[in-house]
Amino acid sequence: MTTEERSSRYSRQMLFKPIGPEGQRALAERSVLIVGMGALGTVLANHMVRAGVGTVRFVDRDYVEASNLQRQMLYDEEDAAMSMPKAVAAERKLARINSGVKLEAVVADTTAANVEQLLDGIDIVLDGTDNFSTRYLLNDACFKRGVPFVYGGAVASRGMSAVFVPGKTGCLRCLIQPSDSAGETCDTIGVISPIVDIVASYQAAEALKVLVGAHGARRGSLVTLDIWNNHYYELKLPPSRPDCPVCNGSRYPALETAYEDEIVSLCGRETIQIRGRASFDLTEWRAKLEAVARVQSNPFLLRAELPEGERLVLFPDGRALVQGTEDPVRAKTLYARYIGL
């Protein structure tokens, strides 16, 4: 993009003095990672791409369904009808918004096995996830690498956000302990889209401050709000806990978790994820499963409606979703029956 083109596209943003032309040039040289391309992630990606961040990398393990369209604003009915992976659908939309930004879409589950690779070359990580196990994983990886981590969460009409900077603030573990999580998700108690936009916008604003080097403007608090009941609170971020293994650099617990053959329940979705293979050849598996199930596929995934009533979804990276059950034993039985162990 030429200087003239940049001046025209980002003119209103550069008129904002805390950014200005120098900040805009800095944004063009920066890279962000967004983990989770659901409700929060789609808003975050939209802001980062439109703002002119040089590289926007995003990763998501899921595909678009009709129930996503109420709040995940980069997707449409065609994406849902085609069961398009969210990362792929997002990349196609964002490429039409700003061709001057380098987009890196990754269809994968973020795990201890790949999170550090995903952080390579990244200046800041934005949380678009819906569970604390992945957030702790991102927290631990970011603090190990010295990369700022912008946390955000939204459920029902409530939301919260904070930015954690290694060496400057405590980490997510210092603020929220695993036992403090309420275990509520959008899939169990619902969500309204305005709270998603607000939380993601708080996250995006903090990200822009970090990316242009405006560290004095960075918020040093956890914001929590409920837009239905008109509540707003700020809690000053606590200092690092003396016994926090992440902040003192002695251990990064989430990075020590073995992932091979892991079985994960996707909370509130009647879905069990199983990773038991290195990869799936979708063409090969379509031929195998068509004899026993109704199969749909695209280049990114294969869906098989099983005779038992559940659905089996296979991804090239070796992941399988068993949908229609929350019972890991039942899911593993079906996986063994149709895929083998």
Side-chain angles (χ1 to χ4, degrees), residues 57 92 95 110 114 127 207 209 225 251 279 314 324:
R57 181 181 301 160
R92 292 178 178 180
T110 302
N114 66 5
D127 171 23
K209 294 174 191 178
L225 64 162
R251 286 184 57 228
S279 63
L314 306 183

Side-chain angles (χ1 to χ4, degrees), residues 251-269:
R251 286 184 57 228
Y252 302 95
L255 298 180
E256 300 167 3
T257 303
Y259 188 69
E260 292 301 317
D261 302 319
E262 187 176 359
I263 298 177
V264 178
S265 175
L266 306 187
C267 181
R269 296 191 53 194

Side-chain angles (χ1 to χ4, degrees), residues 288-305:
K288 289 180 179 180
L289 292 172
E290 277 183 328
V292 294
R294 184 162 59 89
V295 177
Q296 293 179 302
S297 65
N298 58 40
F300 312 103
L301 59 84
L302 178 152
R303 295 193 306 170
E305 303 287 346

Side-chain angles (χ1 to χ4, degrees), residues 25-104:
R25 286 192 292 271
L27 288 176
E29 297 171 355
R30 301 292 186 261
S31 299
V32 304
L33 170 65
I34 302 169
V35 179
M37 286 299 289
L40 291 173
T42 52
V43 179
L44 288 166
N46 191 39
H47 281 306
M48 295 298 101
V49 168
R50 290 182 186 276
V53 175
T55 299
V56 180
R57 181 181 301 160
F58 41 85
V59 56
D60 194 282
R61 66 187 177 187
D62 209 352
Y63 61 91
V64 182
E65 299 177 271
S67 62
N68 302 147
L69 302 182
Q70 167 253 349
R71 65 201 179 279
Q72 299 181 18
M73 57 186 56
L74 287 180
Y75 311 131
D76 57 35
E77 292 179 349
E78 183 178 358
D79 296 323
M82 296 175 63
S83 300
M84 191 64 63
K86 291 181 180 180
V88 174
E91 181 182 34
R92 292 178 178 180
K93 299 295 192 309
L94 294 167
R96 294 199 293 269
I97 291 171
N98 192 344
S99 60
V101 170
K102 181 182 179 182
L103 301 174
E104 298 180 358

